Amino acid sequence: MSTSPPVVRPAAVAGAFYPASAEGLRAHIDGLLDAARPPASPAKAYVVPHAGTVYSGPIAATAYAALRRARPRPTRVVLLGPSHRVGFTGLALPGGEAFDTPLGRVPLDPLAEPLLAGLPQVRVLPRAHAQEHALEVQLPFLQRSLGPFTLVPLVVGDASAEAVAEVLERLWGGDETVVLVSSDLSHFHPLAEARALDAHTVARIVSLDAGGLDGDEACGFRPIEGLVEVARHKGLVARALDVRTSGDTAGPRDSVVGYASIAFEVRS
């Protein structure tokens, strides 16, 4: 009896947002992780940036280097990010069984769809994932930071904070689950202006007062607002781990993109 091959989303931005070869990508990500200065303990959830890894990778690595220290390490990743290419309402699952990167195959959590069944804001929409980079650029970091894990990838379209929070509540899990929101901050301002804008945005997120953010402040403002709502409900504490711009890493300083790694920790 024959079996059907798994439905897999292939890597869409390898060679553009990060190195395309397995050897080159492994060395690149490991170098970023080794150079990072993470906090001593991991968190339940993070906001992480999603530009090309030469630009935002050092900032993202601060969060992932912290996650790499977790014992035991999470075995399930709930990953949300904004839609850059496809307009739709709600949140989109990809369908299928796995995502591929040059480092190998990441299996999707088969329980995600049943857990989210009945939520009207959630749909299976493969085209929302097909070319989306916001989630994909996180996968090599996860592959080099964690052991084996399953993935729940959700692209967020036009959705309220309450709609995102309801999804996160169902997927929250325990210590086996880490939640990631992929977002960059301000876009294409001079360096000093971007730093001021991003400092204000990060301060609002860290104070768990993210309502009213918009796409000029953070392209992933919708999933950020949902995460902040859940964090507030669960009594988490947020703190900025690393806030920089493309002008601080690998780009010109007259027009920069802002990045932050922000941790959401269980109150001690």
Side-chain angles (χ1 to χ4, degrees):
M1 183 175 64
S2 63
T3 58
S4 300
V7 178
V8 177
R9 177 201 179 273
V13 297
F17 279 70
Y18 58 82
S21 74
E23 181 180 1
L25 179 56
R26 189 179 301 110
H28 175 58
I29 297 297
D30 286 354
L32 292 170
L33 291 170
D34 291 343
R37 296 182 178 180
S41 59
K44 173 63 181 181
Y46 297 91
V47 172
V48 286
H50 58 230
T53 53
V54 297
Y55 299 106
S56 68
I59 296 85
T62 307
Y64 286 111
L67 188 58
R68 185 167 61 168
R69 293 181 173 181
R71 296 294 183 275
R73 288 177 178 167
T75 57
R76 178 173 176 261
V77 177
V78 176
L79 174 59
L80 288 75
S83 180
H84 289 87
R85 295 177 179 270
V86 177
F88 65 96
T89 300
L91 296 87
L93 289 163
E97 299 172 49
F99 279 22
D100 271 352
T101 81
L103 299 181
R105 186 156 292 178
V106 178
L108 303 190
D109 180 3
L111 300 179
E113 287 189 37
L115 279 172
L116 298 176
L119 292 183
Q121 68 268 43
V122 179
R123 67 172 87 179
V124 175
L125 191 65
R127 65 187 178 88
H129 286 264
Q131 298 296 319
E132 181 54 58
H133 66 275
L135 305 189
E136 183 180 329
V137 296
Q138 310 305 334
L139 300 183
F141 283 105
L142 288 164
Q143 288 172 301
R144 299 303 297 166
S145 300
L146 301 179
F149 68 94
T150 59
L151 180 70
V152 184
L154 287 153
V155 175
V156 180
D158 186 1
S160 68
E162 293 76 17
V164 175
E166 187 177 20
V167 170
L168 285 176
E169 288 278 6
R170 290 210 184 178
L171 296 171
W172 197 252
D175 291 342
E176 82 290 340
T177 299
V178 64
V179 176
L180 301 175
V181 167
S182 176
S183 179
D184 293 339
L185 299 179
S186 65
H187 284 63
F188 310 130
H189 298 281
L191 181 63
E193 183 179 338
R195 285 175 173 168
L197 289 168
D198 295 341
H200 179 69
T201 300
V202 170
R204 290 182 60 190
I205 296 170
V206 167
S207 66
L208 302 183
D209 182 25
L213 287 177
D214 61 33
D216 292 330
E217 295 165 298
C219 56
F221 72 96
R222 290 185 174 95
I224 287 174
E225 287 179 341
L227 174 58
V228 165
E229 182 167 314
V230 176
R232 195 166 51 238
H233 175 253
K234 293 185 178 294
L236 301 187
V237 177
R239 62 169 171 148
L241 304 180
D242 197 349
V243 184
R244 285 183 275 170
T245 74
S246 58
D248 299 309
T249 53
R253 295 193 161 203
D254 58 335
S255 180
V256 306
V257 178
Y259 313 120
S261 283
I262 302 171
F264 294 76
E265 303 167 339
V266 177
R267 193 184 300 270
S268 58

